[in-house]
Amino acid sequence: MTYGFIGLGNMAGAILRGMSASGKFAGDTVYGYNRSPEKTRRLAEETGLIPCESPLDTAQRSDVLILAVKPQMMADVLPEIAPAVTQDKLLVSIAAGKPTGFYESAFPVPVPVVRVMPNINAKVRAATTAICKGAYATDAHLETVRALFETVGSVFTLPEAQFPAFSAIGGASGAFIHLYIDALSSAGVKAGLPRSMAQDIACQTVLGSAKLTQESPEHPIELMDQVCSPGGTTIEGVHTLKRLGFESAVHQAIEAIIEKDRKLAE
């Protein structure tokens, strides 16, 4: 089976590195095209990717075609690859906001489509990815895509209607966590810690708390209560965050992302 990437940006690059590191995908089965020849060359040297001359060239060589360009570029890319798209191809899209029906309606044949929503943690092979199949895709197609994206992290199969929620919680919220880590680090600097040490402490605390929550049968609030001694320092900080609207701000931010995602799909 051959795999072709149209678009070799940050996300595609992370996936390609994961594929290469997994040892499950032979170098001579992976193709790619990007408007920047230099970016293509660097990825080819790093991962064994075989460069292609155009989106059409990539589509012609590939059994599984991964569309990794920005959503607004799809209107130009899909007509260009149409001559090579048959019902024997599997189209995989990682573009935000574009449902499977968008791709299915672009071609005169019933093309299997799997929609994928990975996150940027694919760079360190710790992504959280959602997948769903279109009208013509089978469970076998879904498993092909699952195997591909498990090289960069965990994969969840969801109904397409839940993709906006996943996009917010599994994708965009990573930016919130980076913001939170920076806020913790800055607070540490204010309290007298060196910046690098404060950031390392913040990162390790976030990692450890996430692992504890993931592996514990207890609810996150129960775990929080275990840290909050009566009349202690931690509960003082928790009440300050609640008073300043911490939870409300998170909920409103998630709702804003979901609404934006739905607008992109219109």
Side-chain angles (χ1 to χ4, degrees):
M1 187 174 290
T2 56
Y3 302 81
F5 286 76
I6 297 177
L8 299 173
N10 287 334
M11 189 61 71
I15 297 163
L16 284 161
R17 292 181 184 97
M19 292 173 70
S20 176
S22 75
K24 297 178 180 179
F25 301 87
D28 60 358
T29 64
V30 183
Y31 299 86
Y33 167 80
N34 195 73
R35 290 184 300 176
S36 165
E38 178 60 22
K39 182 176 288 186
T40 306
R41 183 189 64 78
R42 289 198 304 268
L43 272 172
E45 291 176 353
E46 186 178 351
T47 69
L49 168 85
I50 300 171
C52 295
E53 296 180 356
S54 67
L56 178 59
D57 181 30
T58 311
Q60 288 170 333
R61 297 183 184 215
S62 308
D63 300 313
V64 180
L65 186 61
I66 298 95
L67 303 175
V69 299
K70 290 181 172 59
Q72 58 268 32
M73 296 175 63
M74 288 296 180
D76 295 326
V77 170
L78 297 184
E80 185 174 352
I81 66 173
V85 175
T86 68
Q87 61 191 58
D88 295 324
K89 300 278 185 182
L90 171 58
L91 293 189
V92 179
S93 171
I94 65 172
K98 297 296 185 184
T100 54
F102 171 81
Y103 303 96
E104 291 163 349
S105 64
F107 304 102
V109 294
V111 181
V113 178
V114 173
R115 183 180 175 188
V116 179
M117 179 63 65
N119 67 23
I120 198 62
N121 295 336
K123 283 187 169 185
V124 291
R125 300 182 69 186
T128 305
T129 301
I131 61 175
C132 72
K133 61 181 180 179
Y136 308 115
T138 66
D139 288 343
H141 291 129
L142 207 61
E143 286 309 306
T144 294
V145 176
R146 175 180 293 278
L148 177 61
F149 283 86
E150 281 181 342
T151 65
V152 292
S154 59
V155 179
F156 297 86
T157 301
L158 293 176
E160 190 163 23
Q162 293 179 2
F163 260 54
F166 178 87
S167 176
I169 296 172
S173 71
F176 304 171
I177 296 165
H178 292 305
L179 187 64
Y180 178 57
I181 289 170
D182 182 66
L184 289 175
S185 303
S186 294
V189 173
K190 186 178 180 181
L193 293 173
R195 164 67 69 170
S196 60
M197 180 183 290
Q199 184 167 305
D200 284 346
I201 292 169
C203 286
Q204 191 56 50
T205 302
V206 170
L207 279 170
S209 296
K211 185 175 178 62
L212 177 61
T213 303
Q214 190 173 48
E215 296 183 3
S216 173
E218 297 170 287
H219 191 280
I221 295 300
E222 292 179 290
L223 295 173
M224 183 194 75
D225 285 342
Q226 293 172 23
V227 188
C228 295
S229 302
T233 55
T234 304
I235 192 63
E236 194 70 26
V238 168
H239 274 275
T240 300
L241 284 173
K242 287 178 175 287
R243 176 170 53 81
L244 295 175
F246 179 78
E247 291 170 305
S248 176
V250 171
H251 280 248
Q252 290 182 62
I254 293 296
E255 289 166 5
I257 292 167
I258 292 172
E259 180 59 27
K260 181 68 173 182
D261 187 90
R262 286 176 176 154
K263 287 180 179 178
L264 284 173
E266 292 176 355

